[in-house]
Amino acid sequence: MDRKFDRDTIIEAIRRVPLLSPSASRLLELTADPDHDLSQTIDIVKCDAPLTAHVLRIVNSAAFGLLNKVDSIDRAVAYLGERLVISIALGDNAGALFNKPLAGYDGEKGALWRHDLLTAMASRQVSQKARVELNAGLAFTGGILHDIGKGILSDFLHDTAPELVEQLEKHAIVDYLEGERALLGIDHAEAGFEVAKCWQLPEALQMIIRYHHQPQEAPEAYRALVYAVHVGDIIAMMGGCGTGADTLQYPLDQRYSDYLDLTFDDLALILLETQEEFRRIEASFHETKEN
Ligand SMILES: [Fe+2]
Ligand SMILES: [Fe+2]
């Protein structure tokens, strides 16, 4: 395969990615702090008028079927929960990265967002099976952000997906990441890590993004958390929610069992439960977008 672009061109494009809004940044910082409480989340949302409006629109959407209209942001955040509020803030903010069609992966518009949301839900559940205590909120947020690099690389991969799939079938490359590196000199985990650094995300989130396909290489302090998202990502793909041509073209690192106490039955249950949660949440996002 011929190199299409060089790494520096991609890094330059990453430097041009818009920064997150202050409220989204602060919400992400908060998830990294295990001692925070819901009132801090509410305070951040209150200071951001468009976010407040969007949260109220979602809680009052038909998907939640509430009989009485919720008009206080305190009650809306308490009802939706912090995880969903962060998803809304990130969707509003980095929507350009999450929501565009993933042409370079043969993925349709919205595929990355759906994959990220399902990965987040699965990662949170997996994190509760870790052999050490993990911050489940961080696993969720890491799940949302783990593939952020694909939003960047997609533009440069253009129509290379069929070529990459062919290389995979011939076993000329071991996984999609190797194909990305051959064509662009950088893979989506590294590109995402560069975005994470620009956004000054908490270190745990940076590590999840950088090592979600190679959890064994993550620093020991973050390894169990990275494994949770690694497995959550595979569960999302197994559930039929990938991002296009690369779906299930990444190996599962079997050493996850050193960090996670996860049986096959647990995996099947998480797959089922997250699909159900996902359908409900996705419907609420969908409705408010159409209104
Ligand atoms: Fe990935
Ligand atoms: Fe993924």
Side-chain angles (χ1 to χ4, degrees):
M1 281 184 295
D2 296 331
R3 177 68 62 88
K4 308 275 185 209
F5 289 93
D6 62 24
R7 188 186 167 96
D8 292 346
T9 310
I10 318 281
I11 300 282
E12 228 168 84
I14 291 170
R15 304 263 180 268
R16 291 195 297 271
V17 170
L19 293 178
L20 288 177
S21 72
S23 53
S25 293
R26 285 178 56 211
L27 286 170
L28 290 176
E29 264 167 42
L30 213 55
T31 53
D33 169 11
D35 298 323
H36 75 277
D37 59 49
L38 199 63
S39 66
Q40 292 170 279
T41 307
I42 293 169
D43 286 344
I44 295 171
V45 177
K46 274 182 179 164
C47 295
D48 183 329
L51 179 59
T52 298
H54 198 178
V55 166
L56 288 172
R57 230 167 39 238
I58 293 226
V59 78
N60 288 306
S61 71
F64 289 99
L66 297 178
L67 289 176
N68 298 315
K69 199 168 166 347
V70 175
D71 45 22
S72 107
I73 194 64
D74 300 58
R75 282 184 51 218
V77 173
Y79 182 80
L80 293 176
E82 186 183 284
R83 295 195 301 278
L84 198 48
V85 169
I86 291 174
S87 314
I88 297 166
L90 282 174
D92 285 354
N93 246 275
L97 275 184
F98 285 122
N99 262 324
K100 65 184 187 188
L102 280 185
Y105 296 86
D106 266 354
E108 57 191 27
K109 188 170 167 1
L112 181 60
W113 181 240
R114 284 196 299 276
H115 168 70
D116 289 339
L117 207 51
L118 195 61
T119 301
M121 291 168 181
S123 303
R124 184 183 73 87
Q125 291 215 30
V126 171
S127 75
Q128 286 161 342
K129 299 280 181 188
R131 297 188 190 278
V132 291
E133 200 185 325
L134 293 180
N135 176 343
L138 210 43
F140 182 90
T141 317
I144 291 198
L145 292 164
H146 77 287
D147 271 340
I148 195 80
K150 284 187 190 174
I152 309 277
L153 294 199
S154 175
D155 294 345
F156 295 94
L157 287 168
H158 294 298
D159 45 9
T160 54
E163 188 185 349
L164 277 177
V165 170
E166 197 191 313
Q167 296 286 324
L168 281 163
E169 281 165 0
K170 287 196 299 198
H171 301 288
I173 50 175
V174 292
D175 61 14
Y176 220 85
L177 297 164
E178 191 184 341
E180 291 170 343
R181 286 193 298 269
L183 292 170
L184 310 175
I186 188 168
D187 62 42
H188 73 263
E190 292 175 81
F193 178 54
E194 294 298 327
V195 176
K197 283 193 284 186
C198 287
W199 284 353
Q200 299 181 322
L201 296 182
E203 194 172 41
L205 294 175
Q206 294 192 18
M207 294 298 108
I208 289 173
I209 295 168
R210 175 65 189 87
Y211 296 108
H212 70 275
H213 290 296
Q214 289 117 352
Q216 194 62 31
E217 289 174 30
E220 177 71 38
Y222 297 112
R223 205 172 294 154
L225 184 65
V226 176
Y227 264 105
V229 177
H230 175 71
V231 172
D233 185 23
I234 303 272
I235 291 176
M237 291 191 271
M238 280 171 23
C241 220
T243 50
D246 66 328
T247 301
L248 290 174
Q249 301 290 8
Y250 306 95
L252 171 68
D253 184 335
Q254 300 289 347
R255 287 166 290 189
Y256 74 83
S257 56
D258 293 347
Y259 299 87
L260 307 165
D261 183 16
L262 207 59
T263 63
F264 187 76
D265 285 350
D266 291 332
L267 275 174
L269 189 66
I270 292 174
L271 183 63
L272 249 149
E273 286 179 356
T274 48
Q275 297 264 334
E276 217 176 276
E277 186 187 1
F278 175 71
R279 267 193 290 274
R280 189 168 58 94
I281 302 299
E282 204 207 2
S284 69
F285 273 93
H286 203 60
E287 274 171 36
T288 55
K289 231 172 259 164
E290 283 175 358
N291 286 342

